[in-house]
């Protein structure tokens, strides 16, 4: 196992993609990225190469551009694809749903067609815990029924269904769909991290921007949930644990579609995250409690045991490490990659 391969990474400049590129390069794989930089900076790819001490080849292109994809496949002996490139903001997906289906479903379909045309059969696909929707089950297993409640989550579920169908009909395909829970953190160097454009939708980038003084206070969306402190509980997972799982998944692909949760199995509340970030940063994170955010569920925690048995993988970093690493990136890059 762990034979060096040439891996195409779509969305390679993004948060999870960039950390995965470092891990791939460090494991000896050659890396080609395709990203349109609609939600990322090319600077992230410079940092990836510096951290790994090895070059990669980067293309700026839209995934839906078949001619551009064909040119990339024609120029490199690609063995496998990791497909991160997608739009990922739940709120935005309710405002521009067709854009989400076009990029997330259309982009995946264009990629599969290009892979087919160039004889590439190995794929790791970014799926999401959001496909479980308004569930009350704790913890969630891969057999729990998907109930997506917004266009983003629907687009990810449609991606999985498309993959399930094509894997049934094209037995040479070897695909893993990894359902990430809530990725957090940054590379421990402080050089690579999460740099969302505009006002962050997600909890940790918002908390980090409050701590660094870019925003006044956190709005905590609801403290009347049936949880120990009344705030929502999530399964936060370090982005490097997610990146490591992708490398293992590449090594362990088998014919057909495998679906795996990527989480820690441990739940943390919004106030747990605030406290952990304050401890890691030494800064106070003022907050005020507001009403519930529409669409939020009280508790979302993974049962990650299938990933353990299939990949021999489990998360190794805790919330303290996630906050310490995110803070190191935020402090070193207060205005993100643009700073
Ligand atoms: P991100 O936005 O940081 O990265 C996505 C990358 O894809 C960006 O660099 C963006 O510029 C690129 N991209 C978007 N549309 C493109 C297009 N049409 N053509 C080419 N490139 C395009 O997001 P992320 O957090 O790194 O997420 C990566 C993947 O993981 C996504 O598929 C996302 O849906 C999935 N996911 C993320 C989370 C999370 O909380 N971060 C959780 C579950 C699943
Ligand atoms: C976490 C908790 C908020 C911001 C999202 C996507 C999901 C997946 C992971 C992509 C919730 C609370 C947040 C704030 C707050 N991504 N919160 N104040 O909603 O669990 O999951 O990311 O696939 O699809 O939906 O993550 O970070 O937005 O929120 O109180 O300013 O923090 O209410 O309880 P979420 P999140």
């Amino acid at each position: 196992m762990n034979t060096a391969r040439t891996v195409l990474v779509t969305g390679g400049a993004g948060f999870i993609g960039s950390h995965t590129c470092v891990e791939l390069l460090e494991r000896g794989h050659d890396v080609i990225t395709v990203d349109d930089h609609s939600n990322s900076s090319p600077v992230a790819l410079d940092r990836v190469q510096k951290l790994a001490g090895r070059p990669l080849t980067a293309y700026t292109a839209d995934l839906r551009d078949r001619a551009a994809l064909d040119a990339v496949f024609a120029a490199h002996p690609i063995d496998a694809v990791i497909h991160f490139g997608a739009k990922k903001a739940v709120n935005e997906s309710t405002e521009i749903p067709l854009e989400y289906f076009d990029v997330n479903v259309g982009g995946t379909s264009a990629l599969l067609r290009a892979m087919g045309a160039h004889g590439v059969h190995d794929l790791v696909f970014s799926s999401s815990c959001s496909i479980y929707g308004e569930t009350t089950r704790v913890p969630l297993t891969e057999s729990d029924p998907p109930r997506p409640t917004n266009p983003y989550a629907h687009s990810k579920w449609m991606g999985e269904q498309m993959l399930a169908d094509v894997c049934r009909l094209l037995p040479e395909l070897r695909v893993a769909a990894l359902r990430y829970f809530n990725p957090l953190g940054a590379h421990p160097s402080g050089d690579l991290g999460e740099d969302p454009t505009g006002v962050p939708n997600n909890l940790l980038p918002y908390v980090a921007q409050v701590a660094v003084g870019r925003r006044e206070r956190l709005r905590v969306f609801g403290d009347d949930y049936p949880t120990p402190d009344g705030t929502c509980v999530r399964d936060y997972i370090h982005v490097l644990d997610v990146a490591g799982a992708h490398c293992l998944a590449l090594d362990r692909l088998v014919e057909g579609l495998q679906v795996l949760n990527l989480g820690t199995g441990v739940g943390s509340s919004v106030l747990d995250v605030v406290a952990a970030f304050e401890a890691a940063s030494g800064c106070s994170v003022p907050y005020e409690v507001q009403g519930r955010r529409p669409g939020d569920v009280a508790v979302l925690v993974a049962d990650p045991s299938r990933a353990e048995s299939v990949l021999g993988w489990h998360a190794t970093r805790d919330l303290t490490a996630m906050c310490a690493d995110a803070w190191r990136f935020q402090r070193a890059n207060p205005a993100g990659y643009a700073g």
Side-chain angles (χ1 to χ4, degrees):
M1 293 299 223
N2 196 19
T3 318
R5 300 208 275 170
T6 300
V7 184
L8 171 65
V9 182
T10 74
F15 172 47
I16 307 172
S18 58
H19 289 81
T20 304
C21 286
V22 173
E23 293 283 310
L24 289 167
L25 288 167
E26 285 179 344
R27 287 166 152 92
H29 298 292
D30 290 327
V31 173
I32 319 294
T33 60
V34 170
D35 200 305
D36 68 355
H37 300 302
S38 53
N39 195 39
S40 60
S41 164
V43 173
L45 294 173
D46 299 337
R47 304 249 180 120
V48 165
Q49 295 173 87
K50 188 179 135 232
L51 285 170
R54 291 187 53 217
L56 54 72
T57 306
Y59 291 89
T60 300
D62 190 310
L63 274 170
R64 295 163 293 178
D65 180 346
R66 258 304 296 280
L69 281 187
D70 279 335
V72 174
F73 277 95
H76 302 277
I78 291 167
D79 298 306
V81 179
I82 304 183
H83 178 33
F84 295 109
K87 297 182 77 63
K88 65 157 182 179
V90 170
N91 275 354
E92 187 187 55
S93 81
T94 64
E95 289 153 13
I96 48 168
L98 292 175
E99 183 72 6
Y100 270 68
F101 290 116
D102 201 36
V103 173
N104 294 4
V105 184
T108 302
S109 153
L111 178 67
L112 285 168
R113 294 191 69 184
M115 287 173 61
H118 296 271
V120 179
H121 305 134
D122 287 3
L123 174 70
V124 181
F125 173 72
S126 294
S127 190
S128 168
C129 66
S130 62
I131 69 164
Y132 293 114
E134 294 197 17
T135 177
T136 50
R137 293 259 304 178
V138 182
L140 285 156
T141 72
E142 294 83 351
S143 318
D144 283 306
R147 291 196 194 91
T149 58
N150 56 70
Y152 166 72
H154 267 290
S155 74
K156 287 289 167 182
W157 176 229
M158 287 169 76
E160 280 199 26
Q161 289 176 296
M162 178 163 54
L163 289 168
D165 258 5
V166 294
C167 282
R168 265 193 298 273
L169 297 167
L170 305 173
E172 66 275 19
L173 284 176
R174 309 193 311 162
V175 181
L178 305 182
R179 294 177 178 168
Y180 326 146
F181 278 64
N182 288 59
L184 294 189
H187 193 274
S189 62
D191 286 341
L192 212 56
E194 189 168 11
D195 181 24
T197 48
V199 181
N201 292 305
N202 296 116
L203 177 63
L204 197 89
Y206 205 106
V207 166
Q209 292 190 7
V210 172
V212 85
R214 266 173 79 179
R215 305 196 183 274
E216 200 178 333
R217 59 172 55 83
L218 173 72
R219 296 161 303 161
V220 172
F221 298 136
D223 66 353
D224 57 350
Y225 285 98
T227 62
D229 66 20
T231 65
C232 291
V233 167
R234 296 288 179 272
D235 186 338
Y236 297 100
I237 176 167
H238 198 293
V239 64
L240 281 182
D241 282 325
V242 174
H246 285 74
C247 298
L248 290 171
L250 265 189
D251 287 346
R252 303 279 166 95
L253 289 171
V254 292
E255 281 164 12
L257 173 67
Q258 301 181 94
V259 178
L260 304 173
N261 283 342
L262 292 188
T264 63
V266 175
S268 304
S269 73
V270 175
L271 296 184
D272 290 336
V273 173
V274 170
F277 204 88
E278 288 185 326
S281 65
C283 300
S284 75
V285 177
Y287 66 85
E288 66 186 22
V289 176
Q290 298 200 347
R292 294 182 177 195
R293 185 172 68 175
D296 276 344
V297 294
V299 181
L300 264 182
V301 174
D303 175 345
S305 54
R306 189 189 283 180
E308 169 96 56
S309 63
V310 171
L311 302 180
W313 170 92
H314 60 266
T316 58
R317 299 160 179 93
D318 62 9
L319 188 59
T320 300
M322 295 178 221
C323 291
D325 291 339
W327 173 240
R328 205 172 295 110
F329 175 75
Q330 185 68 59
R331 206 178 35 184
N333 305 271
Y337 293 119

